[in-house]
Amino acid sequence: QVQVVESGGGLVQSGGSLRLSCAASGRILSSYTMGWYRQADGNERELVATITSGDKTNYADSVKGRFTISRDNAKGTMYLQMDSLRPEDTAVYYCNARREVPYFNSWGQGTQVTVSS
């Protein structure tokens, strides 16, 4: 079982940067696909970026070229570097760890990112 906890959210001006961190606990972290999702007020949760155990990444079109997802299995940490932030990036960002076999899906508590215009 993996537990994840996000940190690094806050208030930033449009065009600024933030780095989110996701600290993971549990055994065999390298076997999980990790991801970042976000949910804005009144909206459904949406995918931001994912990274597989083989470091293959996938990004939502809205963040391509601006956000970078990475992981450090030795440190048990995943990151989301967010550059050129826009007001529409404002949301609660959630860390996710999942595995299909055996199945497991874990969510963090979320960290608020607010981008002012």
Side-chain angles (χ1 to χ4, degrees), residues 29-107:
L29 178 63
S30 62
S31 67
Y32 292 85
T33 293
M34 307 293 294
W36 290 98
Y37 295 75
R38 66 188 182 187
Q39 185 169 12
D41 286 345
N43 291 9
E44 295 185 347
R45 186 176 61 195
E46 64 178 4
L47 179 144
V48 176
T50 59
I51 182 167
T52 69
S53 60
D55 287 343
K56 181 177 177 62
T57 58
N58 182 53
Y59 297 91
D61 288 341
S62 60
V63 307
K64 286 181 179 178
R66 300 188 299 120
F67 291 9
T68 303
I69 189 171
S70 62
R71 65 193 295 165
D72 187 332
N73 292 335
K75 295 181 178 179
T77 307
M78 179 184 64
Y79 305 96
L80 184 68
Q81 178 66 44
M82 304 185 293
D83 299 319
S84 302
L85 282 162
R86 306 165 180 169
E88 52 263 43
D89 295 319
T90 296
V92 177
Y93 284 70
Y94 296 91
C95 177
N96 174 255
R98 70 177 187 271
R99 184 177 60 193
E100 297 300 326
V101 182
Y103 179 79
F104 189 79
N105 192 29
S106 180
W107 294 93

